[in-house]
Amino acid sequence: QLQLVESGGGLVQPGGSLRLSCTASGFTLDYYNIAWFRQAPGKEREGVSCISSSDGITDYADSVKGRFTISRDNAKNTVYLQMNSLKPEDSAVYYCAAVYILPRKWSDFYEYDYWGQGTQVTVSS
């Protein structure tokens, strides 16, 4: 009943842009802290960005700062990840995750209670 669904992935050339969406059903997203993670083949799951439930404070992995922007639209029960200036190393399955209490380290993926199914992002020429 509690579900997150990602969308917006696809194939883009280096330097291109994508906007990912994470929409919640079965619960109200504005009461939860939301993070985006990604995982490429053979690599560990990596925290990409996080937005808090209360004050909307955001944080980003060093590898995406200045290129990615996380935002939320509570009226639509949706969190977005705008990805610009994409690089081949950004290629991965991207997941959104939700937790009621923000962990001390937001990028610890095992702290999150709810997960989407993932959406594939491929950056290639």
Side-chain angles (χ1 to χ4, degrees), residues 15-65:
S17 297
L18 286 173
R19 188 179 74 161
L20 306 184
S21 299
C22 173
T23 300
S25 62
F27 64 100
T28 302
L29 196 59
D30 49 324
Y31 295 124
Y32 287 80
N33 304 284
I34 308 297
W36 286 94
F37 293 85
R38 66 186 182 186
Q39 188 165 22
K43 295 185 178 180
E44 297 291 330
R45 190 169 301 182
E46 175 189 22
V48 177
S49 185
C50 179
I51 186 166
S52 66
S53 61
S54 57
D55 51 13
I57 297 297
T58 61
D59 198 14
Y60 300 88
D62 288 341
S63 59
V64 307
K65 285 181 179 177

Side-chain angles (χ1 to χ4, degrees), residues 14 17 47 57 80 85-86 97 100 106 116 119:
S17 297
I57 297 297
Y80 302 98
S85 302
L86 284 163
Y100 189 74
W106 66 264
T119 185

Side-chain angles (χ1 to χ4, degrees), residues 63-69 82-87 90:
S63 59
V64 307
K65 285 181 179 177
R67 299 188 297 120
F68 291 10
T69 303
Q82 179 67 46
M83 306 186 296
N84 298 326
S85 302
L86 284 163
K87 304 174 181 179
D90 295 318

Side-chain angles (χ1 to χ4, degrees), residues 4-6 21-23 34-37 79 94-98 112 114-119:
L4 297 171
V5 178
E6 304 97 334
S21 299
C22 173
T23 300
I34 308 297
W36 286 94
F37 293 85
V79 171
Y94 283 71
Y95 302 89
C96 66
Y112 288 79
Y114 308 107
W115 290 83
Q117 83 291 344
T119 185

Side-chain angles (χ1 to χ4, degrees), residues 70-120:
I70 190 171
S71 62
R72 67 194 308 155
D73 186 339
N74 290 335
K76 296 181 179 179
N77 217 24
T78 298
V79 171
Y80 302 98
L81 185 68
Q82 179 67 46
M83 306 186 296
N84 298 326
S85 302
L86 284 163
K87 304 174 181 179
E89 52 263 42
D90 295 318
S91 297
V93 177
Y94 283 71
Y95 302 89
C96 66
V99 67
Y100 189 74
I101 302 297
L102 186 68
R104 294 182 183 181
K105 185 178 180 182
W106 66 264
S107 57
D108 285 339
F109 67 89
Y110 49 83
E111 297 279 6
Y112 288 79
D113 298 318
Y114 308 107
W115 290 83
Q117 83 291 344
T119 185
Q120 177 70 53

